[in-house]
Amino acid sequence: MEDLLRNKLEAAKELKEFTEKIVSLSLKTEYDKADSMIEHRKHFIEKINSINEKVKECDSEESDEAKEIKKDIRKVFKEISDMDNQIRKNIKAELKDVKKNLNQPDKSQSINIQA
């Protein structure tokens, strides 16, 4: 069971590192890259979910080491959750900017068309 939990911790750390890369991207200039990375992130989550299924199948007594690993896993997932919230904030801010520009375009950029 400890080996599975260590694998889950490593997978969670990989997900965290990948999520950090997404957070560091600028949505204005690198939207396509961020979008594809968010899609690729699903593979990390699927890997963690498959490890979870294996852990559930283990009915062994939980050792102190297993408890410590679970504590580390929770800590990593909390950090990932915080980064996810930052990604959502960045997306929301970008959408607000786009909406603002669509509703009130800059007057200096308007074009006069004469018929």
Side-chain angles (χ1 to χ4, degrees):
M1 181 169 176
E2 286 83 6
D3 289 337
L4 287 173
L5 290 173
R6 279 190 213 95
N7 289 341
K8 183 177 175 180
L9 179 60
E10 287 305 312
K13 286 180 180 179
E14 289 174 7
L15 176 61
K16 177 185 167 195
E17 290 174 11
F18 195 76
T19 304
E20 286 173 340
K21 291 177 185 176
I22 296 171
V23 170
S24 69
L25 295 175
S26 168
L27 291 177
K28 287 185 179 187
T29 59
E30 300 175 294
Y31 177 80
D32 291 334
K33 186 176 180 180
D35 187 47
S36 67
M37 288 178 78
I38 289 171
E39 283 297 315
H40 182 70
R41 193 172 175 263
K42 292 178 183 178
H43 297 291
F44 291 100
I45 295 169
E46 289 171 1
K47 181 179 177 180
I48 291 169
N49 288 338
S50 69
I51 295 171
N52 274 342
E53 292 299 319
K54 293 175 186 175
V55 169
K56 288 179 184 178
E57 293 172 2
C58 290
D59 291 331
S60 62
E61 186 67 28
E62 194 172 281
S63 67
D64 290 338
E65 182 181 1
K67 289 177 185 178
E68 191 64 32
I69 295 170
K70 283 184 175 184
K71 182 180 172 185
D72 292 341
I73 291 170
R74 281 191 295 275
K75 180 182 172 191
V76 171
F77 281 132
K78 172 67 174 128
E79 293 170 354
I80 292 170
S81 175
D82 292 343
M83 285 186 267
D84 285 349
N85 288 337
Q86 185 61 45
I87 292 169
R88 286 185 194 95
K89 285 180 185 178
N90 292 348
I91 291 171
K92 188 176 180 180
E94 183 61 27
L95 287 174
K96 282 182 179 180
D97 289 346
V98 169
K99 185 177 177 181
K100 179 182 171 187
N101 288 337
L102 288 175
N103 290 336
Q104 298 175 349
D106 188 5
K107 304 293 186 222
S108 64
Q109 294 179 358
S110 61
I111 300 173
N112 293 328
I113 300 176
Q114 296 178 354

